[in-house]
């Protein structure tokens, strides 16, 4: 089971690194576009679209890793007031809610991506193909479902399914 857990951790971390690279590319795109517009008076017409798609990449590629290492925003003001035995139950319920939301999101975004692929949708100005970018949405939330199931199994079985996040990096 630890092989599966390590694989899940590595895939989430790999997606995170791709999101970081997308962030760097977005920053460079905006910088070069601004430089071209104001210094050389020749704007890059595709830069706004590309920056938007790269921002989508940053968002969806980093969600699974943040969920995996429990660094997401949580509202635990009420949960911490509950007895310890109920805190775990509330955590399991939250996991079920996340799985339900993510499953609906995967289903809907997959249909949207397939339709976009079928009509070969492209961005307005630069003609960038959109379906590969849209594929990030269902993949990201499918990974979130897998991570939530891994964490739930870890809680139910009571043993480590995967190493701690620090072990993933090394």
């Amino acid at each position: 089971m630890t092989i599966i857990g390590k694989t899940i951790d590595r895939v989430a971390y790999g997606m995170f690194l791709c999101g970081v690279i997308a962030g760097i590319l977005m920053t460079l795109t905006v910088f070069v576009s601004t430089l071209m517009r104001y210094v050389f008076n020749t704007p890059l017409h595709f830069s706004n679209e590309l920056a938007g798609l790269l921002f989508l990449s940053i968002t969806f590629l980093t969600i699974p890793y943040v969920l995996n290492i429990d660094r997401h925003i949580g509202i635990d003001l009420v949960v911490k007031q509950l007895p310890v035995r109920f805190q775990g139950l509330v955590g399991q319920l939250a996991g079920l809610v996340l799985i339900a939301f993510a499953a609906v999101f995967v289903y809907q975004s997959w249909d949207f991506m397939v339709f976009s692929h079928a009509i070969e949708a492209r961005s307005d100005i630069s003609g960038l193909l959109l379906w590969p970018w849209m594929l990030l949405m269902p993949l990201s939330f499918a990974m979130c479902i897998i991570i939530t199931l891994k964490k739930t199994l870890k809680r139910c079985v009571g043993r480590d399914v995967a190493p701690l996040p620090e072990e993933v990096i090394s």
Side-chain angles (χ1 to χ4, degrees):
M1 195 61 140
T2 56
I3 293 172
I4 294 170
K6 283 184 179 183
T7 303
I8 292 168
D9 291 342
R10 291 189 191 284
V11 169
Y13 187 66
M15 290 173 73
F16 176 77
L17 290 178
C18 289
V20 169
I21 291 168
I24 292 167
L25 291 174
M26 185 183 81
T27 303
L28 288 173
T29 300
V30 170
F31 176 74
V32 169
S33 176
T34 304
L35 191 67
M36 295 295 290
R37 177 179 303 274
Y38 293 109
V39 175
F40 301 110
N41 202 26
T42 55
L44 300 175
H45 297 292
F46 66 89
S47 64
N48 285 343
E49 288 177 340
L50 184 58
L53 292 171
L54 288 168
F55 183 74
L56 173 105
S57 300
I58 295 167
T59 304
F60 284 99
L61 287 171
T62 57
I63 289 172
Y65 181 70
V66 171
L67 177 65
N68 195 35
I69 63 169
D70 288 324
R71 301 292 178 162
H72 52 81
I73 296 173
I75 304 171
D76 59 357
L77 184 65
V78 175
V79 175
K80 288 197 175 195
Q81 300 303 317
L82 296 173
V84 176
R85 63 178 182 212
F86 291 123
Q87 289 179 11
L89 184 63
V90 171
Q92 299 289 22
L93 181 62
L96 287 174
V97 170
L98 176 63
I99 289 172
F101 171 79
V104 170
F105 190 89
V106 167
Y107 178 77
Q108 293 293 328
S109 60
W110 182 264
D111 279 351
F112 188 55
M113 185 275 304
V114 168
F115 177 72
S116 175
H117 183 268
I119 64 169
E120 293 186 22
R122 295 184 177 273
S123 61
D124 289 335
I125 297 171
S126 59
L128 294 170
L129 199 57
L130 294 176
W131 74 265
W133 302 91
M134 292 177 181
L135 181 60
L136 296 176
M137 295 185 288
L139 290 179
S140 172
F141 274 84
M143 191 66 190
C144 287
I145 290 172
I146 292 167
I147 289 168
T148 304
L149 290 173
K150 176 190 85 164
K151 288 177 176 239
T152 302
L153 184 61
K154 180 180 175 182
R155 274 187 232 128
C156 290
V157 174
R159 62 186 180 124
D160 281 342
V161 176
L164 294 173
E166 295 83 31
E167 296 175 12
V168 173
I169 297 169
S170 57

